[in-house]
């Protein structure tokens, strides 16, 4: 009994003299940890500007935290290379730090929310110094499209514009006296004859926006042409109705056949469509650079199309030789 009392007394003396500092420090750490609160959810918002052709480091990636419990310390690019290329999908690692009084616990994928910039979660892990590192991807660069430029609506009723990289098609609409006139149409080229929509006297302009090739849900902003004033005689030409020409003869738009059997379309005013698609009485026809109607298989802007013997384009069906055509008439690769 005396020996046991002596042991207890010695231990008490050692504590009083500070001979067990390590144990005392451990207790202090526990007490400190009890004062911290755990971050159990993370929400980040991204605003980005990354374009093909930019040098690494010239991009803009702004990341904001939805809570004051943590903050964004930095991010780093994980892609290889020095220039952002059209084929790339930006991949970055974001480093977060807890604010004073907080710490990161175990945070899973379902507890991490990413908004804006096309951000998609890849993985996360605890880093050094109580940090949290989140790896993610941003909008692929093949979704990026420059603003559409060069849009005009000429006196022949033809709207034309400059091609936009990564655009697979374009949407076009016509305005008459400030109001939309007719339906929005899908155009696969960079030229569209609007003459059937210029059927009445008035002030017209066209609007066009690009549709992304990789993701048709991605569309650019509408661009607007200058105005075209259409008088009564011009309206008659655009309607395909007979009108009095300068020579005093009545004329109208009509199909014409050349001596070699090929067909072309006469607008009735001495002009014709060439190297473009043309919608005639609700069906689409393609005319080669000389202005002759195409039939069978042919390639246009790196995509295959099929027009019947009568010249109109097939779409959203299977051809007689067993190939799928999409809603826009282009061949669907198998």
């Amino acid at each position: 009994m005396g020996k046991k009392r002596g042991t207890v007394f010695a231990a008490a003396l050692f504590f009083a003299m500070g001979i067990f500092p390590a144990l005392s420090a451990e207790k202090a750490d526990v007490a400190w940890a009890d004062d911290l609160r755990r971050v159990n959810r993370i929400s980040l918002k991204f605003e980005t500007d990354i374009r093909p052709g930019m040098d690494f480091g010239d991009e803009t990636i702004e990341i904001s935290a939805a809570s004051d419990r943590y903050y964004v310390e930095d991010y780093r690019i994980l892609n290889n290379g020095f220039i952002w290329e059209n084929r790339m999908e930006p991949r970055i690692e974001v480093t977060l730090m807890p604010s004073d009084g907080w710490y990161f616990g175990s945070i899973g994928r379902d507890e991490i929310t990413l908004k804006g910039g096309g951000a998609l979660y890849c993985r996360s892990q605890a880093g050094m110094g109580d940090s949290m590192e989140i790896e993610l991807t941003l909008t692929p660069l093949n979704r990026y499209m420059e603003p559409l430029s060069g849009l005009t609506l000429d006196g022949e009723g033809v709207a034309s514009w400059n091609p936009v990289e990564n655009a697979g098609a374009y949407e076009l609409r016509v305005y008459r006296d400030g109001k939309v006139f007719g339906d929005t149409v899908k155009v696969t080229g960079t030229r569209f004859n609007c003459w059937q929509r210029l059927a009445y006297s008035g002030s017209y302009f066209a609007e066009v926006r690009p549709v992304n090739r990789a993701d048709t849900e991605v569309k650019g902003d509408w661009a607007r042409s200058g105005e075209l004033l259409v008088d009564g005689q011009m309206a008659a030409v655009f309607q395909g109705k007979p009108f009095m020409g300068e020579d005093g003869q009545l004329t109208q738009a009509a199909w014409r056949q050349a001596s070699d059997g090929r067909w072309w379309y006469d607008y009735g005013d001495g002009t014709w469509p060439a190297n473009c698609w043309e919608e005639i009485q609700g069906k689409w026809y393609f005319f080669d650079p000389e202005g002759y109607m195409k039939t069978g298989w042919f390639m246009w802007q790196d995509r295959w199309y099929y027009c019947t013997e009568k010249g109109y384009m097939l779409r959203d069906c299977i051809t007689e030789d067993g190939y799928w055509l999409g809603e826009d008439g282009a061949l669907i690769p198998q």
Side-chain angles (χ1 to χ4, degrees), residues 89 109 114 116-123 135-140:
E89 182 178 55
R109 179 172 186 165
L114 307 176
L120 293 176
Y121 174 93
C122 294
R123 65 185 184 88
E135 188 176 320
L136 55 96
T137 60
L138 299 171
T139 301

Side-chain angles (χ1 to χ4, degrees), residues 269-281:
D269 61 352
T271 64
W272 56 88
N275 197 33
C276 67
W277 290 95
E278 186 76 29
E279 185 181 16
I280 301 172
Q281 296 181 343

Side-chain angles (χ1 to χ4, degrees), residues 154 156-161 186-195 255 263-265 267 271-280 283-295 298-301 305 307 311 313:
D154 64 26
E156 296 180 1
V158 177
S160 59
W161 55 92
K186 186 175 182 180
V187 184
T188 56
T190 57
R191 185 177 184 274
F192 182 80
N193 198 314
C194 306
W195 66 273
W255 284 100
W263 288 91
W264 59 285
Y265 193 74
Y267 287 142
T271 64
W272 56 88
N275 197 33
C276 67
W277 290 95
E278 186 76 29
E279 185 181 16
I280 301 172
K283 295 183 178 181
W284 286 95
Y285 299 80
F286 187 81
F287 296 88
D288 66 20
E290 295 181 277
Y292 293 108
M293 181 187 78
K294 296 282 289 185
T295 61
F298 63 93
M299 182 172 284
W300 167 251
Q301 294 191 342
Y305 295 85
C307 289
M313 179 187 72

